[in-house]
């Protein structure tokens, strides 16, 4: 199975875009040329803020779907490498 990447872009409007791909540099060029995705095409330029490399593309895709559900603060903690904050934001409060 092919190697894959999960990545986070910062768009011109200050939004984050999370996606996965097999070919990171090629995909980034597509985004910069307005051919990556509708979200990024309307919010150029974009900047690569973070990426993770995986041995399998399906693992990158799974990670993409996981991170897409996260809050902005949680994504920022991940990108900053702030494990303490990331752990705190990951905890859920259950009430009866």
């Amino acid at each position: 199975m092919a190697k894959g990447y999960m990545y986070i872009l910062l768009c011109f409007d200050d939004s984050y875009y999370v996606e996965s791909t097999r070919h990171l540099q090629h995909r980034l060029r597509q985004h910069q040329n307005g051919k990556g995705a509708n979200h990024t095409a309307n919010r150029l330029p974009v900047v690569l803020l973070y990426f993770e490399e995986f041995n399998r593309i399906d693992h990158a895709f799974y990670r993409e779907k996981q991170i897409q559900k996260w809050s902005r603060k949680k994504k920022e903690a991940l990108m900053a490498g702030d494990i303490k904050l990331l752990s705190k934001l990951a905890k859920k409060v259950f009430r009866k």
Side-chain angles (χ1 to χ4, degrees), residues 87-96:
S87 178
K88 180 181 174 185
L89 292 170
K91 293 180 181 174
K92 294 182 181 180
V93 178
F94 295 96
R95 296 185 182 169
K96 292 185 179 183

Side-chain angles (χ1 to χ4, degrees), residues 8-11 32 45-50:
I8 301 175
L9 300 177
L10 175 64
C11 299
Q32 290 294 8
V46 296
V47 177
L48 177 66
L49 295 180
Y50 180 84

Side-chain angles (χ1 to χ4, degrees), residues 21-58:
T21 186
R22 287 187 176 127
H23 307 285
L24 185 59
Q25 292 304 319
H26 175 71
R27 190 67 176 139
L28 291 175
R29 282 191 298 276
Q30 287 179 319
H31 284 296
Q32 290 294 8
N33 291 327
K35 297 178 177 154
N38 287 335
H39 183 88
T40 58
N42 297 320
R43 293 165 175 85
L44 293 173
V46 296
V47 177
L48 177 66
L49 295 180
Y50 180 84
F51 73 91
E52 294 176 1
E53 184 177 333
F54 296 86
N55 290 329
R56 295 172 41 161
I57 185 62
D58 58 326

